[in-house]
Amino acid sequence: MRTLKLGMVGGGNGAFFGAAHRAAAAMTGRFSLVAGAFSSDAVRARESGNDLGLDPDRCYADFETMAQREASRDGIDLVAVVTPNHLHAPACRAFLSAGINILCDKPLTATLDEAHALQKVAEDSTSLFGVTYTNAGFDMVREARAVVAAGEIGAVRLVRVAFPQEWLATATEATGNKQAEWRTDPARSGAGSLGDIGTHAFHLVEFVTGLTATSLSAEVDTFVAGRRVDDNVTAKLRFGGGAKGLLWASQVAIGETNGLKIDVHGDKGSLGWTVEAANQLTFAPLGGRRMVIDRASHGTAFKGLMPPGHPQGFIEALARLYIDMAEQIEARRAGRAAAADALLLPGIGDGVRGLRFVDAALRSGAEDGRWTDI
Amino acid sequence: MRTLKLGMVGGGNGAFFGAAHRAAAAMTGRFSLVAGAFSSDAVRARESGNDLGLDPDRCYADFETMAQREASRDGIDLVAVVTPNHLHAPACRAFLSAGINILCDKPLTATLDEAHALQKVAEDSTSLFGVTYTNAGFDMVREARAVVAAGEIGAVRLVRVAFPQEWLATATEATGNKQAEWRTDPARSGAGSLGDIGTHAFHLVEFVTGLTATSLSAEVDTFVAGRRVDDNVTAKLRFGGGAKGLLWASQVAIGETNGLKIDVHGDKGSLGWTVEAANQLTFAPLGGRRMVIDRASHGTAFKGLMPPGHPQGFIEALARLYIDMAEQIEARRAGRAAAADALLLPGIGDGVRGLRFVDAALRSGAEDGRWTDI
Amino acid sequence: MRTLKLGMVGGGNGAFFGAAHRAAAAMTGRFSLVAGAFSSDAVRARESGNDLGLDPDRCYADFETMAQREASRDGIDLVAVVTPNHLHAPACRAFLSAGINILCDKPLTATLDEAHALQKVAEDSTSLFGVTYTNAGFDMVREARAVVAAGEIGAVRLVRVAFPQEWLATATEATGNKQAEWRTDPARSGAGSLGDIGTHAFHLVEFVTGLTATSLSAEVDTFVAGRRVDDNVTAKLRFGGGAKGLLWASQVAIGETNGLKIDVHGDKGSLGWTVEAANQLTFAPLGGRRMVIDRASHGTAFKGLMPPGHPQGFIEALARLYIDMAEQIEARRAGRAAAADALLLPGIGDGVRGLRFVDAALRSGAEDGRWTDI
Amino acid sequence: MRTLKLGMVGGGNGAFFGAAHRAAAAMTGRFSLVAGAFSSDAVRARESGNDLGLDPDRCYADFETMAQREASRDGIDLVAVVTPNHLHAPACRAFLSAGINILCDKPLTATLDEAHALQKVAEDSTSLFGVTYTNAGFDMVREARAVVAAGEIGAVRLVRVAFPQEWLATATEATGNKQAEWRTDPARSGAGSLGDIGTHAFHLVEFVTGLTATSLSAEVDTFVAGRRVDDNVTAKLRFGGGAKGLLWASQVAIGETNGLKIDVHGDKGSLGWTVEAANQLTFAPLGGRRMVIDRASHGTAFKGLMPPGHPQGFIEALARLYIDMAEQIEARRAGRAAAADALLLPGIGDGVRGLRFVDAALRSGAEDGRWTDI
């Protein structure tokens, strides 16, 4: 098994998510980081690459140059795009042009127009394209999807998802917090809580239920004075087939660090999952008892590499997406079908869905909660 | 301390909630059951009274006769009305005419018109009037209200309430279940999940936050084929002052026996409570740690009679409402103000609010979720 | 159904547990309180009876007089003995002599010698005798016993029980706290945490498993300086048949108000229960999934009167013991066998077991944890 | 920052823990795997190395050869010893002789004699020596230690630890399960549950409390017929200073996959942690409220690299020990003191303590629970 060559755009010193990506890629044993355009600041880009022990020749000051140079025979097999949202589209375009595979952070782009345009380019390219909706990498989220797909909860009636966080409960962006600054700057982020965590929540709903949301009625609020983006969203959802949904995403929910939670109610049973107890799934069959499905359970569809009961964490979940991408790359090169699991890696279509959700929510919110197509 | 004389309308043999009322009233040590019109079936009414050891002369075949006879000097001090919903209004009218104090189950009536009419009669009468939104009797629900009122979570931004149950997940009403029959019969119940548990959820929201909901946008569903009332409701709420809310009430949520849950998010903190852990409140202050406030906590505003850690159950909560009513009755007779706690007993105004909620939700649901005044 | 006449010894104004007994007895609808010797202080005894609305002629200054007078044809059917521990034996003897049925608080007596002597007297008497190990009244504790008895967890290998409380973490007895004073006074209590909560824990173990503990090895500590009784006990247990156990009882465990918890591990499954979530039982079968058995579960052996999911509290559990006693009394009078459930009421033999446990633990603790027969 | 060169002994294809070590080392970004003696089977050793992409010249058939060859200037900086227990001592001796730093799995050795002998050799060597008590790598375990060290719970009175697992509840070793085979073979494992998980539990107790256990009284059982090692242990502990403890380790606890749990009770507060909710610590101060300390809490002593609320998993915990070792290696080379955190890496002394615990427990168990010095 040959190690794949990984490049990174963004994620320089001080950026938090780039380090998580590097740890996740490294722990898979399938990727070696060999190139990067770690920062739009040339000095910082070079220093970051140096600190990571990279060849200075492969530490680039901009992603365009990186894409061109790495397009050669010995270039990178995959680029991870971990910049602020507004740079996703141009960065991805550059690597699509170069025929390089991409793993891009969510939201796919800052705006829906960018997303649609990027999707077209991607569909015309030869690159594989993954989007890091990280929760799709948790074993028990995949198990939840499998339980629904197997009909164990019957036809879905109602799904609820909540993603509360507290870190923007006050005007954090006015305190010099870099993360807060760009994530509340419409020019760089697109939207606020909608894009940052709403897209996670929305993806989780469609990923677990296998349903497609057709329309929504949203209430989009900004509770912190002076903030330029939304920080709290509540929405009702409608799905094809008659299922209904409730979604809440908030970055002003004090006491909640990262309380993503979903529950799905069908006509034969229900299930629930939260990232706060990521190694368990609750399941209740009609006429039976509530039970816990854990990573060790007899009969779970997905089992991690770790022994039963040893908790799977956030970086392991992200690593799972890298493993999926590695499998897709290797399968394509070998001219074989990729393993079914690897196809659970969210793709550009899922990325576009996220922006459609954001756009629909903003429009519905602006029109007093009018039901709006997604 | 003289024992107060209690009468009951409804609650004969086989009805479940009458027995809970009798146990609750008895455990307070403040009431003795002395009279009743336990059933609209004269034979069953008499048998029920006999089984309870009552004087046959005070076991009535109908509530009109009971109200007239008990209106005398030695008559009952309080009547508990525990009939199906459609009989609440006529029964209450009879006892209001007789000047007898009333404790009536929720929803106050089957329809909003009945509720408004009853409220007028009640306001012109001398009777005290309580409504058994039982959750308002839990120590920790009262503590939650006190925490909000004391400003500990600051200005409320968002409140969520969920009341899922599973018992009508299938067509239970077609199986001979008496409870399911009348609760899904529009003529007797008024509405379905909206009236039966939605009113509980709505009251809890206003009770804990001290806010008044001004409008709602609701999605009202009937998931079980052939059912004549709603069995699942999702709604967005707006409150005076800019707070927002989400409400879910469902009787088709498999795995949920009685999962009432509320969380309130303010600009200085948040709190949460669920009847499944009724003796605890979770609380998170801005910049602090999530903590548990329990019935034993140092500094709680309300303490039960029981020692710390000994769980308070459903009947104790109902008993608290009887204690409140006893205090109101005695205070009025003594010409003094009732203790502040006793005024937390929900009144007819709270009962009317419940019907306004039901009515607004039905209208909003019928108009595609249009924002509708409550 | 005739109401039974109840008397009470102890439990006057200011005593906390008497009020719980009265509420529990009243809520059953089976007992009326008609007599009492509520305090060893004659004035306070009379005032307490007056406050409770009793006939002054049946408010006695001492339990001997009460027993004699109530021994008549119209006397009480049952006496509840809720005094400090050292008075249990003389009070019970008085009522046994009078042929009156007894429900006595735990521990049965202050010393093992008293317990043995009392047991002999009781066995020669015609009185029914119950001991209020209250936890035996929780539906889910009875369900746990039934699950074990049905063989669902197979042969028991290990049982753990813990009963931590915090209320004596400091020298509470020096602060004027009456409860702390008598409970830490060897002359009135017998032992400390061993008698007060260790006996609860020990009874729960034998009640749930159906096993008899044969010996123990105990470590008995007093952590608070100046305290005259034990406040923390750890013990290993051995049972007939080879099962082993661990027991912990502590009144110096900060953060724990009343954290009674048991888990039982067999060769085919395991189960767990805690009073903090008294309405649920956890159960895990070999090769299956962990699940929750709740009061609403399909197939539970015991079901309460309340609807599914409505929590059962401490006073309801105590009320169950009163219901059991009422059934035993009525069955005996009717010359029929009592319902099987009613025989789950702990009897004097269970009371003696508690003292044997206390005595064995004190001896083992004094001999460096030597294995000591119970 | 130069990458350190890592070697591995054991952990070939099919062994589960080697893969976890490789993932953990890789995700730190501080180590590159360059050499290994992955199996005592020469063919399998070579194939494993090949699968991992190693230079065939550095895939050794035995650890003695590996130690000699890697002792050169360009040899490995660290060896991870992940063999069955009985090979730990000879493997470590070989690398100590070569002056190579070691990270060895627990238990340190199969027997106490081996442990003592190895400790002498290690103390005379220049090698750094770490032992992978993995739980010591969880942020919140380190936080727990810091909370105790800061005096926030005062003087420790009682500590309880439980480590239940279910995987040996039946005769798993007779089913062809390789892990079960060697872990229940006295010649390869030394002891059963005592060595495999008892040592984890014992280390956690001393690590969190900072106390030294002086003696124990143990009950050592084998519940599965035919098993050659212990599978369930209960023990009382005594510590210097008067604190007491209870320990339970079991591999026959059905329903428990990996339920390690500790709670520590002091005279000013208490705390608790379980690997099942590894990102939280519960804390209760005297006179205050129970609260949750999480990785995001304001004022926690240790914070992970990940954002608040994103769960830290088992491999991240193991990675922390690799980070500690990297820091120790680099600090020594730079002639500076290592960062304080890095010294929390368990050392050979902690490894020896584990064997002293096992040995004392086996002797105490054989002598009917006699208190035995550790």
Side-chain angles (χ1 to χ4, degrees):
Chain A
M1 191 166 65
R2 189 175 80 80
T3 299
L4 297 167
K5 293 185 293 295
L6 176 67
M8 182 169 281
V9 177
N13 294 343
F16 91 84
F17 210 54
H21 269 262
R22 287 189 290 269
M27 77 182 289
T28 67
R30 311 282 282 269
F31 291 95
S32 296
L33 182 70
V34 299
F38 296 105
S39 173
S40 51
D41 175 300
V43 174
R44 193 156 148 268
R46 202 165 307 266
E47 283 178 358
S48 298
N50 188 53
D51 288 354
L52 292 165
L54 298 198
D55 179 345
D57 286 352
R58 296 179 86 170
C59 296
Y60 304 93
D62 61 275
F63 55 72
E64 291 88 354
T65 309
M66 178 176 166
Q68 286 167 11
R69 301 263 184 87
E70 294 291 335
S72 66
R73 196 163 9 155
D74 295 329
I76 55 176
D77 298 295
L78 177 70
V79 67
V81 176
V82 297
T83 64
N85 305 344
H86 68 304
L87 297 176
H88 288 183
C92 288
R93 281 171 176 275
F95 288 93
L96 287 171
S97 300
I100 292 171
N101 301 311
I102 296 174
L103 200 53
C104 180
D105 265 354
K106 49 48 54 191
L108 178 64
T109 56
T111 70
L112 178 57
D113 285 348
E114 286 177 342
H116 279 142
L118 184 62
Q119 186 176 29
K120 272 199 195 132
V121 178
E123 287 169 358
D124 292 342
S125 86
T126 59
S127 300
L128 292 165
F129 201 110
V131 178
T132 50
Y133 289 116
T134 316
N135 301 295
F138 280 106
D139 279 10
M140 297 318 290
V141 167
R142 295 188 173 199
E143 176 66 19
R145 178 184 165 97
V147 166
V148 176
E152 290 193 57
I153 67 165
V156 175
R157 288 167 166 175
L158 185 90
V159 54
R160 289 195 309 159
V161 67
F163 199 159
Q165 294 183 332
E166 69 178 350
W167 73 295
L168 297 175
T170 56
T172 315
E173 62 268 45
T175 64
N177 180 313
K178 295 286 172 195
Q179 288 292 327
E181 276 176 20
W182 81 254
R183 286 176 201 265
T184 59
D185 174 2
R188 285 181 281 175
S189 64
S193 60
L194 271 168
D196 203 23
I197 56 175
T199 50
H200 271 305
F202 183 76
H203 180 263
L204 187 64
V205 163
E206 295 197 336
F207 184 83
V208 168
T209 63
L211 297 176
T212 299
T214 52
S215 60
L216 59 74
S217 163
E219 186 86 342
V220 181
D221 287 294
T222 302
F223 280 116
V224 172
R227 179 159 292 159
R228 292 178 293 160
V229 293
D230 59 280
D231 54 23
N232 192 80
V233 179
T234 56
K236 292 180 290 183
L237 302 172
R238 288 176 181 163
F239 298 86
K244 304 298 172 76
L246 270 186
L247 178 147
W248 175 45
S250 179
Q251 296 184 308
V252 299
I254 296 169
E256 298 281 355
T257 52
N258 197 49
L260 179 63
K261 188 171 188 173
I262 188 171
D263 49 83
V264 189
H265 305 268
D267 61 9
K268 291 192 182 148
S270 69
L271 60 79
W273 178 83
T274 170
V275 74
E276 293 190 344
N279 293 275
Q280 298 185 335
L281 201 62
T282 57
F283 171 62
L286 179 65
R289 288 170 175 161
R290 281 177 285 172
M291 62 184 72
V292 172
I293 301 175
D294 66 23
R295 287 181 43 255
S297 279
H298 308 261
T300 50
F302 298 96
K303 295 205 179 189
L305 293 169
M306 283 180 295
H310 292 66
Q312 184 184 50
F314 173 73
I315 295 182
E316 281 102 323
L318 184 56
R320 181 62 177 254
L321 303 188
Y322 274 92
I323 291 171
D324 292 340
M325 178 53 90
E327 166 65 9
Q328 288 194 21
I329 292 172
E330 286 161 2
R332 172 174 292 192
R333 285 179 185 170
R336 60 171 173 81
D341 270 23
L343 301 179
L344 294 176
L345 174 68
I348 194 163
D350 300 293
V352 173
R353 289 291 296 161
L355 272 296
R356 291 181 77 94
F357 161 74
V358 171
D359 182 71
L362 287 172
R363 285 186 291 129
S364 174
E367 295 177 66
D368 207 32
R370 191 172 58 76
W371 281 100
T372 303
D373 288 350
I374 299 175
Chain B
M1 193 164 67
R2 191 176 77 81
T3 298
L4 297 166
K5 293 185 291 297
L6 176 67
M8 183 169 281
V9 177
N13 294 344
F16 91 83
F17 210 53
H21 269 262
R22 288 189 290 269
M27 76 182 289
T28 67
R30 311 282 283 269
F31 292 95
S32 297
L33 183 69
V34 298
F38 296 106
S39 174
S40 50
D41 177 298
V43 174
R44 192 155 148 270
R46 202 165 308 266
E47 285 178 356
S48 297
N50 188 52
D51 288 353
L52 292 165
L54 298 198
D55 178 346
D57 287 350
R58 296 180 87 171
C59 295
Y60 304 94
D62 61 274
F63 53 75
E64 291 88 351
T65 310
M66 176 177 167
Q68 286 167 10
R69 301 264 183 88
E70 294 292 334
S72 68
R73 196 159 12 152
D74 294 328
I76 55 175
D77 299 295
L78 177 70
V79 68
V81 176
V82 298
T83 64
N85 305 344
H86 68 303
L87 297 176
H88 289 183
C92 288
R93 281 171 175 277
F95 289 92
L96 287 172
S97 299
I100 292 172
N101 302 310
I102 297 173
L103 200 53
C104 180
D105 264 355
K106 50 47 56 189
L108 178 64
T109 57
T111 70
L112 179 56
D113 285 348
E114 287 177 341
H116 279 143
L118 184 62
Q119 186 177 29
K120 269 197 196 133
V121 178
E123 286 170 358
D124 292 341
S125 85
T126 58
S127 300
L128 292 164
F129 201 110
V131 177
T132 51
Y133 289 116
T134 316
N135 301 295
F138 280 106
D139 279 10
M140 297 318 291
V141 167
R142 295 189 173 199
E143 176 67 20
R145 179 185 165 95
V147 166
V148 175
E152 290 194 55
I153 68 164
V156 174
R157 288 168 166 172
L158 186 90
V159 54
R160 291 194 308 159
V161 68
F163 199 158
Q165 294 183 332
E166 69 178 349
W167 73 294
L168 297 175
T170 56
T172 315
E173 62 267 46
T175 64
N177 180 313
K178 296 285 173 196
Q179 288 292 327
E181 276 175 21
W182 78 255
R183 287 175 200 264
T184 59
D185 174 1
R188 284 181 283 175
S189 65
S193 60
L194 271 168
D196 203 23
I197 56 174
T199 50
H200 271 305
F202 184 75
H203 180 263
L204 187 63
V205 163
E206 294 197 337
F207 185 82
V208 168
T209 63
L211 297 176
T212 299
T214 52
S215 61
L216 59 72
S217 163
E219 187 85 343
V220 181
D221 287 294
T222 301
F223 280 116
V224 172
R227 179 160 292 159
R228 292 178 293 159
V229 293
D230 59 280
D231 54 22
N232 191 81
V233 180
T234 55
K236 294 180 289 183
L237 301 172
R238 289 176 181 163
F239 298 86
K244 305 297 172 76
L246 272 186
L247 178 147
W248 175 45
S250 179
Q251 295 184 310
V252 298
I254 295 168
E256 299 281 355
T257 51
N258 198 48
L260 178 62
K261 187 172 188 174
I262 188 170
D263 50 82
V264 190
H265 305 268
D267 61 9
K268 293 193 181 145
S270 68
L271 60 78
W273 179 83
T274 172
V275 74
E276 294 191 343
N279 293 274
Q280 298 186 335
L281 201 62
T282 57
F283 172 62
L286 179 64
R289 287 170 176 161
R290 281 177 284 172
M291 62 183 71
V292 172
I293 301 176
D294 66 23
R295 287 181 44 256
S297 278
H298 306 262
T300 50
F302 298 95
K303 296 206 181 191
L305 291 170
M306 283 180 296
H310 292 66
Q312 185 184 49
F314 173 73
I315 295 182
E316 282 103 322
L318 184 56
R320 179 65 177 253
L321 303 187
Y322 274 91
I323 291 172
D324 293 339
M325 179 53 91
E327 165 65 10
Q328 288 193 23
I329 293 172
E330 287 162 0
R332 172 174 290 193
R333 287 180 183 170
R336 61 171 172 81
D341 270 23
L343 301 178
L344 294 176
L345 173 68
I348 193 163
D350 300 295
V352 173
R353 288 292 295 162
L355 271 298
R356 293 182 74 94
F357 161 74
V358 171
D359 182 73
L362 287 172
R363 285 186 291 129
S364 175
E367 295 178 66
D368 207 30
R370 189 173 58 75
W371 281 99
T372 303
D373 288 350
I374 299 173
Chain C
M1 194 166 62
R2 189 176 78 83
T3 299
L4 297 167
K5 293 186 291 296
L6 176 67
M8 184 168 280
V9 177
N13 295 343
F16 91 84
F17 210 53
H21 269 263
R22 287 188 291 270
M27 76 183 288
T28 67
R30 311 282 281 271
F31 291 95
S32 296
L33 182 68
V34 299
F38 296 106
S39 173
S40 51
D41 175 301
V43 174
R44 191 156 149 268
R46 202 166 307 265
E47 284 178 358
S48 298
N50 188 52
D51 289 353
L52 292 165
L54 298 199
D55 179 344
D57 286 350
R58 297 180 87 171
C59 296
Y60 304 93
D62 61 274
F63 53 73
E64 291 86 355
T65 310
M66 176 176 168
Q68 287 167 9
R69 302 262 182 88
E70 295 291 335
S72 67
R73 194 158 16 150
D74 295 329
I76 55 175
D77 299 294
L78 176 71
V79 66
V81 176
V82 297
T83 63
N85 306 344
H86 68 303
L87 298 175
H88 289 182
C92 289
R93 281 171 176 275
F95 290 92
L96 288 171
S97 298
I100 293 172
N101 302 311
I102 297 174
L103 200 52
C104 179
D105 265 354
K106 49 47 61 189
L108 178 64
T109 56
T111 70
L112 178 56
D113 284 348
E114 287 177 340
H116 280 142
L118 184 62
Q119 186 175 29
K120 270 195 197 137
V121 178
E123 287 169 358
D124 292 342
S125 85
T126 60
S127 301
L128 292 164
F129 201 110
V131 177
T132 51
Y133 290 114
T134 316
N135 301 294
F138 280 105
D139 279 9
M140 296 319 290
V141 167
R142 295 189 173 200
E143 175 67 18
R145 179 184 164 96
V147 167
V148 176
E152 291 193 56
I153 67 165
V156 175
R157 288 168 166 174
L158 186 89
V159 54
R160 289 194 309 159
V161 67
F163 199 158
Q165 295 183 332
E166 69 178 349
W167 72 295
L168 296 176
T170 56
T172 316
E173 62 267 44
T175 64
N177 180 313
K178 296 286 172 195
Q179 288 292 326
E181 276 175 21
W182 80 255
R183 286 176 202 264
T184 59
D185 174 1
R188 284 181 280 176
S189 64
S193 59
L194 271 168
D196 203 24
I197 56 175
T199 50
H200 271 306
F202 184 76
H203 180 262
L204 186 64
V205 162
E206 295 197 336
F207 185 83
V208 168
T209 64
L211 297 177
T212 299
T214 52
S215 60
L216 58 74
S217 163
E219 187 86 341
V220 181
D221 288 293
T222 302
F223 280 117
V224 172
R227 179 159 293 157
R228 292 178 294 159
V229 293
D230 60 279
D231 53 24
N232 191 82
V233 178
T234 56
K236 293 180 290 183
L237 302 172
R238 288 177 181 162
F239 298 86
K244 304 297 171 76
L246 270 186
L247 178 149
W248 175 45
S250 180
Q251 296 185 308
V252 298
I254 296 169
E256 299 281 355
T257 52
N258 197 49
L260 179 63
K261 187 172 189 173
I262 188 171
D263 48 84
V264 190
H265 305 267
D267 62 9
K268 291 192 182 146
S270 68
L271 60 78
W273 178 83
T274 171
V275 74
E276 295 191 342
N279 292 276
Q280 298 185 336
L281 201 60
T282 57
F283 171 62
L286 180 64
R289 287 168 176 163
R290 281 177 285 172
M291 62 183 70
V292 172
I293 301 175
D294 64 25
R295 288 181 43 254
S297 278
H298 308 262
T300 51
F302 298 95
K303 296 208 179 189
L305 292 169
M306 283 181 295
H310 292 66
Q312 185 185 49
F314 173 72
I315 294 181
E316 280 104 319
L318 184 55
R320 180 63 176 255
L321 303 188
Y322 274 91
I323 292 171
D324 293 340
M325 179 53 90
E327 165 64 8
Q328 288 193 22
I329 293 172
E330 287 162 0
R332 171 174 293 192
R333 287 180 183 169
R336 61 171 172 82
D341 270 23
L343 300 179
L344 294 176
L345 173 68
I348 194 163
D350 300 294
V352 172
R353 288 291 296 161
L355 272 296
R356 291 181 76 95
F357 161 74
V358 171
D359 182 71
L362 288 172
R363 285 187 290 129
S364 175
E367 295 178 65
D368 207 31
R370 191 171 59 76
W371 282 98
T372 303
D373 288 349
I374 299 175
Chain D
M1 192 166 64
R2 189 175 80 80
T3 299
L4 297 166
K5 294 186 290 296
L6 176 66
M8 183 169 280
V9 177
N13 294 343
F16 91 82
F17 210 54
H21 269 262
R22 287 189 291 271
M27 77 182 288
T28 67
R30 309 283 282 270
F31 292 95
S32 297
L33 182 70
V34 299
F38 296 106
S39 174
S40 51
D41 175 302
V43 173
R44 192 154 150 270
R46 202 164 308 266
E47 284 177 357
S48 298
N50 188 52
D51 288 354
L52 292 165
L54 298 198
D55 179 346
D57 286 352
R58 297 180 86 171
C59 295
Y60 304 93
D62 62 274
F63 54 73
E64 291 86 353
T65 309
M66 177 177 167
Q68 286 168 9
R69 299 262 183 89
E70 294 292 334
S72 67
R73 198 159 12 153
D74 294 329
I76 55 175
D77 299 296
L78 176 70
V79 66
V81 176
V82 297
T83 64
N85 305 345
H86 68 303
L87 298 176
H88 289 183
C92 288
R93 281 170 174 277
F95 289 93
L96 288 171
S97 298
I100 291 171
N101 301 310
I102 297 173
L103 200 53
C104 180
D105 266 354
K106 50 45 61 189
L108 178 65
T109 57
T111 69
L112 178 56
D113 285 347
E114 286 177 341
H116 279 142
L118 184 62
Q119 185 176 30
K120 270 197 197 134
V121 177
E123 286 170 358
D124 292 342
S125 85
T126 59
S127 300
L128 292 163
F129 201 110
V131 178
T132 50
Y133 289 116
T134 316
N135 301 294
F138 279 107
D139 279 10
M140 296 318 290
V141 168
R142 296 190 172 198
E143 176 66 19
R145 179 185 164 97
V147 166
V148 176
E152 291 193 56
I153 66 165
V156 174
R157 287 167 167 174
L158 186 90
V159 54
R160 290 194 309 159
V161 67
F163 199 159
Q165 295 183 331
E166 70 179 347
W167 72 294
L168 297 175
T170 56
T172 316
E173 62 267 44
T175 64
N177 180 312
K178 295 288 173 194
Q179 288 292 327
E181 276 175 19
W182 79 254
R183 286 175 201 264
T184 59
D185 174 1
R188 283 180 282 175
S189 65
S193 60
L194 271 168
D196 204 23
I197 56 175
T199 51
H200 271 306
F202 184 77
H203 180 262
L204 187 63
V205 162
E206 295 197 337
F207 184 83
V208 168
T209 63
L211 296 176
T212 299
T214 52
S215 61
L216 59 72
S217 163
E219 187 86 340
V220 180
D221 287 294
T222 302
F223 280 115
V224 173
R227 180 158 292 157
R228 292 178 293 159
V229 293
D230 59 280
D231 55 22
N232 191 81
V233 180
T234 56
K236 294 180 289 183
L237 301 172
R238 290 177 180 162
F239 298 86
K244 304 298 171 73
L246 272 186
L247 179 148
W248 176 45
S250 179
Q251 296 186 308
V252 298
I254 296 169
E256 298 281 355
T257 51
N258 197 48
L260 178 63
K261 187 172 189 174
I262 188 171
D263 49 84
V264 190
H265 304 268
D267 61 10
K268 292 191 181 149
S270 69
L271 60 79
W273 178 83
T274 171
V275 74
E276 293 191 344
N279 293 274
Q280 298 185 336
L281 200 61
T282 57
F283 172 62
L286 179 64
R289 287 169 176 161
R290 281 178 285 172
M291 62 184 71
V292 172
I293 301 176
D294 65 23
R295 287 180 45 253
S297 278
H298 307 263
T300 50
F302 298 96
K303 296 205 179 190
L305 292 168
M306 283 180 296
H310 292 66
Q312 185 185 48
F314 172 72
I315 295 183
E316 282 102 320
L318 185 55
R320 179 63 176 257
L321 302 188
Y322 274 92
I323 291 171
D324 293 340
M325 179 53 93
E327 166 64 9
Q328 288 193 23
I329 293 172
E330 286 162 1
R332 172 175 290 193
R333 286 180 183 169
R336 62 172 171 81
D341 270 23
L343 301 179
L344 294 176
L345 173 67
I348 193 163
D350 300 294
V352 173
R353 289 291 297 162
L355 272 296
R356 292 182 76 95
F357 162 74
V358 171
D359 182 73
L362 287 172
R363 286 187 290 130
S364 175
E367 295 178 66
D368 206 31
R370 190 173 58 76
W371 282 98
T372 303
D373 288 350
I374 300 174

